[in-house]
Amino acid sequence: MHAIQVSQHGGPDELQHVSVPDPEPGAGEILVRVSATGVNFIDTYQRSGAYAMTLPYVPGSEGAGEVIAVGPEVTSLTVGQRVAWCDAPGSYAELVVVRAARAIPVPDDVDDQVAASALLQGLTAHYLLDGSAHPQPGQTILVHAGAGGVGLVLTQMAKAKGLRVITTVSSDAKETLSREAGADEVLRYGDDLADRVRALTNGRGVAVTYDGVGADTFEQSLAATAVRGFVVLFGAASGPVPPFDLQRLNAAGSLSVTRPKLGDFTADDDEFTWRAGDVISGIADGTVKVLVGHTYPLADAAQAHRDLAARATTGSVVLLPGRP
């Protein structure tokens, strides 16, 4: 099969389109022909070496496709069934092995490209709202990168929960997308961002700030958050946040800062199934709309990484195996 392989950590050019042996499913596993693969920021962190990987490796963990073989002890899925997954290493490929317990059946009315890019973002939004913090109906939250994949899904889920949502974006086009997702207020980044957020909240600030941007926004995130509020730092698109004195949280109003990761909120198979089921159900019934903003042939994975790092994308980014 064809796959993308990384032989040494570095820039996007390290993503090489190569031929590798077909994988085979073991006990409790299924073999899937990949229809679409989701591209996420964590893939760029792993490629660069920010998150060190054992080399060589095939990137990616998320996708959708058709089951073509099942291993021993698999009774929940059958050949020909469409499934989606978000934690199967080696998903930048034409074939991938997935643990059956971590594969979610995809309804007929959910597109492969949507399913391939929905779970990681959807599960992230799910645990951000119901796990790392617990904003209550009527409260206001701030979501950075509101037109990104997670930002758009998080906004929709938050509105369905009865929250007021303020987002940040970098352009008029992204503002339109964020507003279409339900954002109540959309702001541009800037040194006075916290002042503008407080002006929209009668000076109080927001109950929770969700920051997936990192270095460029973290100081404004702290300044925009209300007394006893939460700053949830869940990514570092602009680079990691430098170390800082925890005593600052006292002076800022007894703030809490957390740096969660998805794996800790989906490690249990039952919790994963609950959260993933909520996400897929929300997509199927129209509560959550996933925008697939950019698609690339599998061989063009390097360009997908360049565009993602440059924040030149909106919505989800998807690779298409077999597409020239």
Side-chain angles (χ1 to χ4, degrees):
M1 70 171 183
H2 288 101
I4 298 297
Q5 189 173 72
V6 176
S7 297
Q8 63 181 9
H9 293 302
D13 289 342
E14 300 302 334
L15 297 167
Q16 299 295 310
H17 190 239
V18 299
S19 294
V20 297
D22 291 356
E24 296 184 3
E29 297 177 334
I30 58 174
L31 181 64
V32 182
R33 179 180 293 112
V34 181
S35 300
T37 300
V39 178
N40 297 283
F41 270 108
I42 192 172
D43 303 342
T44 70
Y45 304 153
Q46 292 171 345
R47 184 213 69 230
S48 70
Y51 296 172
M53 302 290 288
T54 301
L55 300 170
Y57 76 98
V58 175
S61 61
E62 180 181 45
E66 180 183 342
V67 179
I68 60 173
V70 299
E73 303 175 12
V74 175
T75 59
S76 57
L77 298 167
T78 59
V79 171
Q81 199 166 3
R82 293 172 63 232
V83 294
W85 61 91
C86 67
D87 56 1
S91 290
Y92 282 24
E94 293 175 329
L95 301 173
V96 68
V97 167
V98 183
R99 276 210 303 129
R102 311 293 282 193
I104 300 297
V106 176
D108 291 340
D109 54 356
V110 176
D111 179 78
D112 279 338
Q113 293 182 23
V114 170
S117 58
L119 276 186
L120 196 57
Q121 294 171 358
L123 286 167
T124 298
H126 197 281
Y127 91 79
L128 289 175
L129 284 173
D130 189 3
S132 64
H134 299 274
Q136 298 302 304
Q139 290 185 321
T140 301
I141 64 172
L142 173 63
V143 178
H144 288 305
V150 171
L152 292 171
V153 176
L154 179 56
T155 297
Q156 293 173 78
M157 287 186 174
K159 292 305 298 179
K161 189 175 179 177
L163 300 169
R164 181 185 181 214
V165 181
I166 301 172
T167 66
T168 55
V169 300
S170 59
S171 69
D172 290 346
K174 291 185 176 184
E175 176 175 349
T176 297
L177 289 173
S178 185
R179 289 192 183 280
E180 288 175 347
D184 297 282
E185 304 286 351
V186 182
L187 305 175
R188 297 295 189 272
Y189 301 102
D191 292 340
D192 64 342
L193 174 63
D195 292 335
R196 287 178 280 141
V197 170
R198 288 188 176 273
L200 292 170
T201 55
N202 296 319
R204 291 190 298 271
V206 296
V208 184
T209 295
Y210 292 105
D211 191 339
V213 176
D216 288 353
T217 54
F218 186 68
E219 289 297 326
Q220 293 298 313
S221 294
L222 292 176
T225 304
V227 170
R228 297 173 58 182
F230 286 78
V231 177
V232 181
L233 181 69
F234 67 97
S238 66
V241 172
F244 74 103
D245 183 0
L246 289 177
Q247 185 61 26
R248 292 182 58 197
L249 301 179
N250 179 321
S254 300
L255 299 186
S256 296
V257 175
T258 182
R259 179 58 176 93
K261 66 178 184 292
L262 175 61
D264 291 333
F265 292 85
T266 56
D268 178 80
D269 287 344
D270 289 339
E271 183 172 7
F272 171 81
T273 300
W274 161 56
R275 293 190 187 278
D278 274 4
V279 172
I280 294 297
S281 295
I283 293 169
D285 67 20
T287 301
V288 175
K289 295 180 174 61
V290 175
L291 169 67
V292 178
H294 301 264
T295 61
Y296 303 78
L298 179 65
D300 288 349
Q303 188 59 47
H305 276 220
R306 292 187 195 100
D307 291 346
L308 192 65
R311 294 195 229 175
T313 65
T314 54
S316 301
V317 177
V318 173
L319 301 177
L320 302 175
R323 182 74 61 86

